[in-house]
């Protein structure tokens, strides 16, 4: 069945000719070159796709078996020798397929909590550098910059390949090229197109699934919140901690501090950035998030508490205060957990406690070089 599909496709596409044979009798043979279908031309970076022969495969939905049925040939390795390979639950694996001279590297994940043949694993990403496959929007290797713009519009991000951070398991962009990147929403890049700086043509395409970004409080259920709170509370000592009261000063001009008690987690907020002013600066600073970079979304879990401030040895003042911990770029994993969108960060917390909730939230953005403030975000909240 696959041979019939391949032959039919070859008869309906543009051929590339090469000479082969021996002696004085050379022959010519057609090599399949992809032609974008109407179905692939309307796809966008919101739902990245690839086209194999005349079949459009959506990352995050299509399976390993789907790409084989579309006509791609599985390239076995020392571990996985067929698409009937027994895959572990929730495991992601890199696989290779070929269409003529083009090699496609994909990652595929077994989305089940049980062992399953790898043919049922879901395609998570794909990259290639040959003309036998189409990418999202019908973009192909060999397309000009003008054609790329016509198919996908202006990129979210344009950087030299030396500045491009290769995603985990992704394709390295070629030297002396620029990377045109496209995003699903906010700064969630899902497609990187490598363009040669001499020929102004596409040389490589890398795509991956969009994150399920948390942009509304209702996306996070009570069980997920409880797990987040439990993780945070495990960092506290005996349910109490000493904190500085950061929006208050004592008579010496210092922030007073004292033990915080009666901690109660009551509110959750989601902040989403209204507009990214400079996507290149935004992208570059993500590598230095600990140094005041900004995320496009924040999941914030607030707590109410009481701080006890001592005046002299016996007199004490008790004040109602609020604090928080927060997850920059929060998204929901396939396993239903809330994760941070930035590498090596689980969560961050406010530097102390505050009498004013607005002052506490504003403190999250202090010191960032790009000048974003709380007023640049839309806030939604719900009680927990």
């Amino acid at each position: 069945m696959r041979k019939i599909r391949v032959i039919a496709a070859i008869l309906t596409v543009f051929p590339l000719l090469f000479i082969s044979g021996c002696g004085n009798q050379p022959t010519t043979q057609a090599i399949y070159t992809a032609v974008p279908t109407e179905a692939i031309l309307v796809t966008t970076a919101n739902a990245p796709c690839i086209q194999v022969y005349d079949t459009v495969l959506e990352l995050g939905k299509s399976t390993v078996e789907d790409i084989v049925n579309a006509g791609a040939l599985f390239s076995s390795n020392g571990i996985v020798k067929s698409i009937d390979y027994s895959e572990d639950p929730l495991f992601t694996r890199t696989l290779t397929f070929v269409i003529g001279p083009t090699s496609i590297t994909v990652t595929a994940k077994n989305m089940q909590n049980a062992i399953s043949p790898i043919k049922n694993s879901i395609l998570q990403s794909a990259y290639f550098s040959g003309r036998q496959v189409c990418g999202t929007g019908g973009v192909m290797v060999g397309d000009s910059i003008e054609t790329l713009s016509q198919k996908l519009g202006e990129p979210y991000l344009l950087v030299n390949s030396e500045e491009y951070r290769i995603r985990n398991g992704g394709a390295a962009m070629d030297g002396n090229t620029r990377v045109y990147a496209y995003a699903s929403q906010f700064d969630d890049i899902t497609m990187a197109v490598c363009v040669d700086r001499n020929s102004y043509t596409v040389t490589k395409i890398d795509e991956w699934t969009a994150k399920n970004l948390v942009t509304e409080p209702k996306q996070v259920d009570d069980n997920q919140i409880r797990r987040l709170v439990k993780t945070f509370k495990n960092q506290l000592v005996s349910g109490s901690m000493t904190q500085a009261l950061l929006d208050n000063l004592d008579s010496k001009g210092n922030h007073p501090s004292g033990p915080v008690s009666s901690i109660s987690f009551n509110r959750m907020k989601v902040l989403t950035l209204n507009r990214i002013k400079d996507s290149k600066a935004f992208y570059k600073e993500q590598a230095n998030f600990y140094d005041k970079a900004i995320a496009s979304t924040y999941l914030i879990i607030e707590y109410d508490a009481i701080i006890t401030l001592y005046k002299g040895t016996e007199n004490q003042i008790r004040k109602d205060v609020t604090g928080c911990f927060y997850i920059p770029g929060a998204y929901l994993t396939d396993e239903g957990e809330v994760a941070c969108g930035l590498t090596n960060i689980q969560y961050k917390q406010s530097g102390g406690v505050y009498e004013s909730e607005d002052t506490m939230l504003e403190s999250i953005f202090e010191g960032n070089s790009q000048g974003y403030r709380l007023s640049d975000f839309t806030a939604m909240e719900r009680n927990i």
Side-chain angles (χ1 to χ4, degrees):
M1 185 70 178
R2 189 184 306 156
K3 291 183 179 179
I4 294 174
R5 178 190 292 274
V6 173
I7 291 171
I10 291 175
L11 292 176
T12 60
V13 297
F14 300 130
L16 295 176
L17 300 180
F18 68 90
I19 299 176
S20 63
C22 58
N24 296 319
Q25 296 180 337
T27 60
T28 59
Q29 181 177 347
I31 300 176
Y32 169 76
T33 301
V35 176
T37 63
E38 290 296 325
I40 194 74
L41 288 172
V42 297
T43 58
T44 70
N46 290 327
C49 298
I50 58 172
Q51 178 187 311
V52 175
Y53 292 109
D54 57 351
T55 300
V56 175
L57 305 169
E58 183 177 343
L59 302 182
K61 293 185 178 181
S62 299
T63 66
V64 168
E65 187 171 38
D66 289 335
I67 193 172
V68 170
N69 288 340
L73 302 177
F74 174 64
S75 180
S76 63
N77 56 41
I79 297 176
V80 183
K81 297 183 178 179
S82 80
I83 64 171
D84 291 314
Y85 178 81
S86 177
E87 187 57 281
D88 293 331
L90 304 174
F91 191 83
T92 301
R93 191 178 299 275
T94 299
L95 303 171
T96 301
F97 298 85
V98 294
I99 300 176
T102 291
S103 174
I104 313 171
T105 300
V106 307
T107 57
K109 182 174 183 178
N110 177 10
M111 304 293 286
Q112 304 179 46
N113 280 303
I115 294 171
S116 178
I118 203 169
K119 65 185 177 183
N120 298 328
S121 291
I122 304 297
L123 302 179
Q124 301 294 305
S125 68
Y127 68 81
F128 54 92
S129 57
R131 293 177 59 81
Q132 283 65 49
V133 186
C134 293
T136 298
V139 174
M140 292 179 56
V141 169
D143 279 351
S144 66
I145 289 180
E146 291 76 17
T147 300
L148 174 63
S149 179
Q150 290 170 5
K151 291 179 177 178
L152 287 177
E154 293 303 312
Y156 161 78
L157 176 71
L158 174 58
V159 294
N160 291 334
S161 56
E162 295 79 10
E163 302 173 88
Y164 176 68
R165 296 193 303 276
I166 303 169
R167 64 179 178 83
N168 185 28
M173 297 292 107
D174 302 330
N176 200 28
T177 61
R178 288 198 171 96
V179 179
Y180 289 65
Y182 297 84
S184 61
Q185 56 177 328
F186 299 108
D187 59 330
D188 182 30
I189 296 171
T190 58
M191 185 176 186
V193 180
C194 187
V195 176
D196 185 84
R197 295 173 68 175
N198 287 308
S199 66
Y200 301 98
T201 58
V202 174
T203 63
K204 188 175 291 183
I205 299 170
D206 187 10
E207 305 182 24
W208 54 98
T209 53
K211 290 187 178 74
N212 184 12
L213 291 173
V214 177
T215 58
E216 297 182 38
K218 66 182 181 182
Q219 291 175 255
V220 184
D221 62 34
D222 291 341
N223 288 331
Q224 290 166 327
I225 293 171
R226 279 193 286 268
R227 289 196 292 271
L228 291 173
V229 170
K230 182 179 179 180
T231 298
F232 177 71
K233 290 177 72 173
N234 286 340
Q235 308 299 317
L236 307 181
V237 179
S238 301
S240 180
M241 56 184 174
T242 298
Q243 288 278 14
L245 185 57
L246 293 179
D247 55 356
N248 202 331
L249 294 174
D250 60 21
S251 60
K252 297 181 181 179
N254 299 317
H255 294 295
S257 63
V260 174
S261 58
S262 302
I263 298 172
S264 174
F265 294 87
N266 297 319
R267 294 177 304 282
M268 181 184 75
K269 277 188 168 61
V270 174
L271 305 183
T272 53
L273 188 58
N274 298 325
R275 181 180 67 86
I276 294 175
K277 302 172 185 176
D278 183 338
S279 58
K280 186 174 181 178
F282 206 90
Y283 175 81
K284 291 177 69 174
E285 288 204 4
Q286 295 307 308
N288 302 305
F289 188 81
Y290 284 109
D291 299 326
K292 307 295 187 182
I294 294 296
S296 58
T297 63
Y298 291 84
L299 171 61
I300 302 170
I301 296 183
E302 301 181 10
Y303 60 84
D304 295 323
I306 296 173
I307 189 170
T308 302
L309 304 175
Y310 290 91
K311 194 173 183 180
T313 56
E314 296 182 358
N315 296 329
Q316 64 180 29
I317 300 173
R318 291 165 61 86
K319 290 181 176 290
D320 292 328
V321 293
T322 186
C324 74
F325 70 94
Y326 57 95
I327 303 173
Y331 70 98
L332 300 177
T333 69
D334 297 326
E335 292 74 39
E337 298 299 324
V338 180
C340 181
L342 302 172
T343 306
N344 299 324
I345 298 176
Q346 187 177 23
Y347 64 81
K348 299 190 75 175
Q349 67 182 90
S350 55
V353 291
Y354 297 79
E355 289 187 81
S356 165
E357 181 190 30
D358 285 345
T359 304
M360 178 192 69
L361 294 174
E362 190 68 69
S363 71
I364 294 174
F365 310 105
E366 287 179 355
N368 75 87
S369 63
Q370 298 182 58
Y372 291 100
R373 299 179 59 84
L374 179 62
S375 57
D376 294 310
F377 291 78
T378 295
M380 291 181 282
E381 68 174 77
R382 72 176 176 90
N383 293 330
I384 58 175

